[in-house]
Amino acid sequence: MSFDGMMTRAIVKECSDLLTTGRINKIYQPFKTELILSVRAKGKSYSLLLSANAQFARAHLTNEKYTNPQVPPMFCMLLRKHLEGAFIESITQLGSERIFMIDCQTKDELGDDTSKRLIIEIMGKHSNIILIDRETKQIIDSIKHVSYAQSSYRAVLPGQAYKLPPEQNKFDPIDVDAENLLKRIDFNSGKIDRQIVEQFVGISPMIGQEIISRAGMVNANTLVESFLNIITPIKNHIYEPQMITVGAKEYFSIISLTHLKGEVRRFDTVSLMLDRYFYGKAERDRVRQQAHDLERFLQNEAQKNKKKIKKLEQTLKNADKAHSYQKQGELLTANMHLIKRGDKVVEVMDYYDPNGAVITINLSPQKSPSDNAQAYFKRYNKAKNSVAVVMEQLEHTKKEIEYLEQLIQQMESAAPSDIEEIREELVEEGYIRKRVQKGDKKKKKDHKPQLERYLSTSGLEFFVGKNNKQNDYLTNRFARQDEIWLHTKDIPGSHVVIRSTDPDEQTLKEAATIAAFFSKAKLSSSVPVDFTKIRHVKKPNGSKPGYVIYDNQTTLFVTPDEDLVLQLKQRS
């Protein structure tokens, strides 16, 4: 299900109940198109996430913790000026549209009361967050600027009068009755679910499909009954927040989607559902956008090395012929009297064969008999000498592939803040050139990688390195000698350290599950994870970043669990 008008209705109701009369204490903009409003309301603190992300536009309360830039963006600073300390008067929705409005009462520079409205338009790539003056309806600023060159219908720029997005001329399903529903449906045209989506605002294709599924044999009576059975609870703010997993796909919904046959997980609130569904998805999208060049480079390098392996293995097969070259050279030397210049082949008895078989040896007609024999000996020596070199190159190339695949795995679970460290590592290892940007400040030599912290059910801390710089720092500098270190067995993945010398069994299992989740075996089950004390983990001299050897290990078998990852992260 998409973030449609019905979902907007549910989240507006939830936020309105919890945040109205609350005070906006802090405003953050962790990413280019996303805001976090910290609100204190009714004795509790809440974080309201507002996103105008082209693919993951949404609004909901969140328990996630975000890293904010050291210097806040201009739009964030403007919002702080106008809205920090403001009281939320109301949170409303425009009809059943995907437009979320937060009306605030605050004071201006002169201490006079002033009213502001923060508008969140959830419209795919056209999503936006706009601050306007409620009295003048003038735009103060927006998270995305839209000029008339980009949109002939309206401009979204400071100083312009705010204009609503184009009307869709659809009917509001919240106000529908049987008569109005049937007037808008043509049973002869078929595709009733599409007609419902086209005729009624705020209804996504998923809800349209559910209406038809529940109607069974579609006719006027069954369609009305099915439609009202779904819309009436939404009208009365009765929701069933849930996620449905069908194979590798996940869906979220505020109604039961009976037409989807999959595993259903229910949530107490709509925000909890959305927080869980979008966990990591938007982050991975940002990583893809920021590091597309890096990801493509690593994939290409891995592919090049795999092709190199095939060539080296072919060379090794050719080297296996060394013995036959030696034999043919010796047979030619022993039968020189049978050969004369200009011969292309010669048949000789193979005295190595107990049956005395006759074999045919190819010759170069331009060479003398002696030169032909020497040519075979040269081939023999070349093939024999190449084996050691090829074996060495083969081992080096395999390690190179292992290293690149480890980086590819780290890219899959990297946060945007981790990307720069991976890029730095590739520069230091000589794979890519350093990008020079104006205004870049040199990083301090004592810069410490930021580790991801978790808290086990029993209250013990453990830390995760999500790239090689973090892994090296965690294992070789951060951890103490008798603390417990974990890593997936023979599988690229993160280093994990439990801040304890004698963790309980539950903590060991939870830390092992995290190690499995941040590994190449993330989608597997029964993943082997080794654990040992830090004192048994060593980094060989000259080895690649993140590479270690270890002994005295014990192996656990666990299944990666994203829900557990989220739960333990939020505990911290």
PDB file of all heavy atoms in Angstrom, residues 189-202:
ATOM      1  N   SER A 189     -17.792  -1.499 -18.183  1.00  0.00           N
ATOM      2  CA  SER A 189     -16.423  -1.191 -18.631  1.00  0.00           C
ATOM      3  C   SER A 189     -15.371  -2.109 -18.003  1.00  0.00           C
ATOM      4  O   SER A 189     -14.228  -2.152 -18.460  1.00  0.00           O
ATOM      5  CB  SER A 189     -16.077   0.265 -18.298  1.00  0.00           C
ATOM      6  OG  SER A 189     -16.938   1.134 -18.986  1.00  0.00           O
ATOM      7  N   GLY A 190     -15.730  -2.818 -16.937  1.00  0.00           N
ATOM      8  CA  GLY A 190     -14.772  -3.703 -16.266  1.00  0.00           C
ATOM      9  C   GLY A 190     -13.726  -2.934 -15.481  1.00  0.00           C
ATOM     10  O   GLY A 190     -13.820  -1.714 -15.297  1.00  0.00           O
ATOM     11  N   LYS A 191     -12.714  -3.644 -14.999  1.00  0.00           N
ATOM     12  CA  LYS A 191     -11.625  -3.051 -14.207  1.00  0.00           C
ATOM     13  C   LYS A 191     -12.197  -2.118 -13.129  1.00  0.00           C
ATOM     14  O   LYS A 191     -11.828  -0.946 -13.038  1.00  0.00           O
ATOM     15  CB  LYS A 191     -10.646  -2.303 -15.104  1.00  0.00           C
ATOM     16  CG  LYS A 191      -9.946  -3.219 -16.100  1.00  0.00           C
ATOM     17  CD  LYS A 191      -8.976  -2.472 -16.994  1.00  0.00           C
ATOM     18  CE  LYS A 191      -8.318  -3.424 -17.987  1.00  0.00           C
ATOM     19  NZ  LYS A 191      -7.426  -2.723 -18.936  1.00  0.00           N
ATOM     20  N   ILE A 192     -13.078  -2.660 -12.318  1.00  0.00           N
ATOM     21  CA  ILE A 192     -13.776  -1.861 -11.295  1.00  0.00           C
ATOM     22  C   ILE A 192     -12.803  -1.263 -10.290  1.00  0.00           C
ATOM     23  O   ILE A 192     -12.985  -0.127  -9.836  1.00  0.00           O
ATOM     24  CB  ILE A 192     -14.834  -2.726 -10.550  1.00  0.00           C
ATOM     25  CG1 ILE A 192     -15.752  -3.452 -11.554  1.00  0.00           C
ATOM     26  CG2 ILE A 192     -15.649  -1.876  -9.594  1.00  0.00           C
ATOM     27  CD1 ILE A 192     -16.576  -2.545 -12.416  1.00  0.00           C
ATOM     28  N   ASP A 193     -11.740  -2.028  -9.930  1.00  0.00           N
ATOM     29  CA  ASP A 193     -10.772  -1.510  -8.958  1.00  0.00           C
ATOM     30  C   ASP A 193     -10.104  -0.239  -9.480  1.00  0.00           C
ATOM     31  O   ASP A 193      -9.909   0.724  -8.733  1.00  0.00           O
ATOM     32  CB  ASP A 193      -9.729  -2.562  -8.600  1.00  0.00           C
ATOM     33  CG  ASP A 193      -8.986  -3.103  -9.813  1.00  0.00           C
ATOM     34  OD1 ASP A 193      -9.581  -3.158 -10.902  1.00  0.00           O
ATOM     35  OD2 ASP A 193      -7.806  -3.478  -9.669  1.00  0.00           O
ATOM     36  N   ARG A 194      -9.792  -0.212 -10.784  1.00  0.00           N
ATOM     37  CA  ARG A 194      -9.182   0.998 -11.361  1.00  0.00           C
ATOM     38  C   ARG A 194     -10.181   2.151 -11.378  1.00  0.00           C
ATOM     39  O   ARG A 194      -9.808   3.303 -11.139  1.00  0.00           O
ATOM     40  CB  ARG A 194      -8.702   0.713 -12.784  1.00  0.00           C
ATOM     41  CG  ARG A 194      -7.471  -0.161 -12.846  1.00  0.00           C
ATOM     42  CD  ARG A 194      -6.891  -0.151 -14.246  1.00  0.00           C
ATOM     43  NE  ARG A 194      -5.843  -1.134 -14.413  1.00  0.00           N
ATOM     44  CZ  ARG A 194      -5.202  -1.350 -15.549  1.00  0.00           C
ATOM     45  NH1 ARG A 194      -5.524  -0.645 -16.631  1.00  0.00           N
ATOM     46  NH2 ARG A 194      -4.258  -2.261 -15.625  1.00  0.00           N
ATOM     47  N   GLN A 195     -11.419   1.842 -11.671  1.00  0.00           N
ATOM     48  CA  GLN A 195     -12.445   2.893 -11.673  1.00  0.00           C
ATOM     49  C   GLN A 195     -12.575   3.521 -10.275  1.00  0.00           C
ATOM     50  O   GLN A 195     -12.717   4.735 -10.142  1.00  0.00           O
ATOM     51  CB  GLN A 195     -13.789   2.325 -12.109  1.00  0.00           C
ATOM     52  CG  GLN A 195     -13.867   1.932 -13.579  1.00  0.00           C
ATOM     53  CD  GLN A 195     -15.286   1.558 -13.984  1.00  0.00           C
ATOM     54  OE1 GLN A 195     -16.226   2.336 -13.762  1.00  0.00           O
ATOM     55  NE2 GLN A 195     -15.447   0.389 -14.580  1.00  0.00           N
ATOM     56  N   ILE A 196     -12.511   2.694  -9.245  1.00  0.00           N
ATOM     57  CA  ILE A 196     -12.604   3.202  -7.862  1.00  0.00           C
ATOM     58  C   ILE A 196     -11.450   4.155  -7.583  1.00  0.00           C
ATOM     59  O   ILE A 196     -11.638   5.246  -7.028  1.00  0.00           O
ATOM     60  CB  ILE A 196     -12.618   2.027  -6.861  1.00  0.00           C
ATOM     61  CG1 ILE A 196     -13.925   1.237  -6.978  1.00  0.00           C
ATOM     62  CG2 ILE A 196     -12.443   2.532  -5.426  1.00  0.00           C
ATOM     63  CD1 ILE A 196     -13.941  -0.055  -6.200  1.00  0.00           C
ATOM     64  N   VAL A 197     -10.253   3.758  -7.984  1.00  0.00           N
ATOM     65  CA  VAL A 197      -9.067   4.607  -7.763  1.00  0.00           C
ATOM     66  C   VAL A 197      -9.191   5.920  -8.532  1.00  0.00           C
ATOM     67  O   VAL A 197      -8.841   6.993  -8.026  1.00  0.00           O
ATOM     68  CB  VAL A 197      -7.778   3.855  -8.176  1.00  0.00           C
ATOM     69  CG1 VAL A 197      -6.565   4.780  -8.112  1.00  0.00           C
ATOM     70  CG2 VAL A 197      -7.564   2.639  -7.281  1.00  0.00           C
ATOM     71  N   GLU A 198      -9.709   5.831  -9.759  1.00  0.00           N
ATOM     72  CA  GLU A 198      -9.826   7.037 -10.598  1.00  0.00           C
ATOM     73  C   GLU A 198     -10.941   7.974 -10.135  1.00  0.00           C
ATOM     74  O   GLU A 198     -10.866   9.190 -10.336  1.00  0.00           O
ATOM     75  CB  GLU A 198     -10.077   6.617 -12.048  1.00  0.00           C
ATOM     76  CG  GLU A 198      -8.855   5.985 -12.709  1.00  0.00           C
ATOM     77  CD  GLU A 198      -9.193   5.289 -14.009  1.00  0.00           C
ATOM     78  OE1 GLU A 198     -10.397   5.319 -14.400  1.00  0.00           O
ATOM     79  OE2 GLU A 198      -8.283   4.702 -14.630  1.00  0.00           O
ATOM     80  N   GLN A 199     -11.976   7.428  -9.507  1.00  0.00           N
ATOM     81  CA  GLN A 199     -13.136   8.236  -9.129  1.00  0.00           C
ATOM     82  C   GLN A 199     -13.065   8.814  -7.713  1.00  0.00           C
ATOM     83  O   GLN A 199     -13.661   9.844  -7.435  1.00  0.00           O
ATOM     84  CB  GLN A 199     -14.409   7.389  -9.244  1.00  0.00           C
ATOM     85  CG  GLN A 199     -14.795   7.018 -10.669  1.00  0.00           C
ATOM     86  CD  GLN A 199     -15.194   8.245 -11.485  1.00  0.00           C
ATOM     87  OE1 GLN A 199     -15.784   9.192 -10.975  1.00  0.00           O
ATOM     88  NE2 GLN A 199     -14.860   8.223 -12.770  1.00  0.00           N
ATOM     89  N   PHE A 200     -12.308   8.153  -6.810  1.00  0.00           N
ATOM     90  CA  PHE A 200     -12.314   8.572  -5.412  1.00  0.00           C
ATOM     91  C   PHE A 200     -10.919   8.974  -4.950  1.00  0.00           C
ATOM     92  O   PHE A 200      -9.949   8.239  -5.136  1.00  0.00           O
ATOM     93  CB  PHE A 200     -12.876   7.450  -4.523  1.00  0.00           C
ATOM     94  CG  PHE A 200     -14.306   7.117  -4.847  1.00  0.00           C
ATOM     95  CD1 PHE A 200     -14.612   6.056  -5.690  1.00  0.00           C
ATOM     96  CD2 PHE A 200     -15.348   7.887  -4.345  1.00  0.00           C
ATOM     97  CE1 PHE A 200     -15.930   5.756  -6.019  1.00  0.00           C
ATOM     98  CE2 PHE A 200     -16.663   7.596  -4.669  1.00  0.00           C
ATOM     99  CZ  PHE A 200     -16.964   6.537  -5.501  1.00  0.00           C
ATOM    100  N   VAL A 201     -10.840  10.140  -4.335  1.00  0.00           N
ATOM    101  CA  VAL A 201      -9.570  10.676  -3.882  1.00  0.00           C
ATOM    102  C   VAL A 201      -9.066   9.889  -2.669  1.00  0.00           C
ATOM    103  O   VAL A 201      -9.846   9.442  -1.825  1.00  0.00           O
ATOM    104  CB  VAL A 201      -9.710  12.180  -3.537  1.00  0.00           C
ATOM    105  CG1 VAL A 201     -10.587  12.402  -2.303  1.00  0.00           C
ATOM    106  CG2 VAL A 201      -8.347  12.825  -3.319  1.00  0.00           C
ATOM    107  N   GLY A 202      -7.751   9.722  -2.616  1.00  0.00           N
ATOM    108  CA  GLY A 202      -7.142   9.118  -1.425  1.00  0.00           C
ATOM    109  C   GLY A 202      -7.137   7.617  -1.388  1.00  0.00           C
ATOM    110  O   GLY A 202      -6.673   7.022  -0.405  1.00  0.00           O
TER     111      GLY A 202
END
